[in-house]
Amino acid sequence: MNTTPHPRNTPAHTSTQSPIRPSAQTPTRSSAKSPARSRVRRLLTVIGAAVAAVAVWVLAVPVGGIELTVRMGAGPQPVGPVAVVLASLGAGLAGWALLAVLERVTAKAVRIWTITALAVLALSLTGPLGSATGSAATLVLLLMHLVVGSVVVLGLTRR
């Protein structure tokens, strides 16, 4: 003899309550922030920063004919697209990692991160000022730093 009640007779399946309708305490998909969506958006921000930096490099070097070199240990070194991509990705990923850590330990993560990121951006501008060879190279490198910094700061802090 089967004593299990029929599904239509259970309280969850009465005609007054829909089993699909979420309760007032359950966030809907549109109102809940998806961690996966946030990670994808942040990854696209980091990639976008690198793409933006390469776009500046392309406009300055192959199109504009600027010789983009910096003084390094043994002498002037050319700044190529690989270096631009690696530096941009490194900065973006480091910023993302710091933001992720701060989000786990403080409620003011975005504020702290933004102040820190802007301070790091300001310090990074001293690199081109001290190592670029020529005023055109200095301007292009400053622009690349500002472009990457802007994309990363605005993109990672966007809600």
Side-chain angles (χ1 to χ4, degrees), residues 43-85:
L43 177 61
L44 290 175
T45 294
V46 171
I47 293 168
V51 168
V54 169
V56 171
W57 182 88
V58 166
L59 290 173
V61 178
V63 174
I66 296 172
E67 187 177 328
L68 196 55
T69 57
V70 293
R71 287 184 285 282
M72 297 289 259
Q77 299 291 320
V79 177
V82 173
V84 171
V85 168

Side-chain angles (χ1 to χ4, degrees), residues 73-147:
Q77 299 291 320
V79 177
V82 173
V84 171
V85 168
L86 292 177
S88 302
L89 290 176
L93 291 172
W96 182 6
L98 177 60
L99 180 57
V101 169
L102 287 171
E103 286 174 335
R104 291 180 183 266
V105 298
T106 182
K108 296 183 179 184
V110 172
R111 180 179 171 91
I112 294 168
W113 184 86
T114 302
I115 292 167
T116 304
L118 292 174
V120 169
L121 174 59
L123 287 173
S124 81
L125 297 176
T126 63
L129 292 174
S131 65
T133 58
S135 59
T138 301
L139 289 174
V140 170
L141 289 170
L142 286 171
L143 180 60
M144 276 197 263
H145 280 241
L146 290 170
V147 164

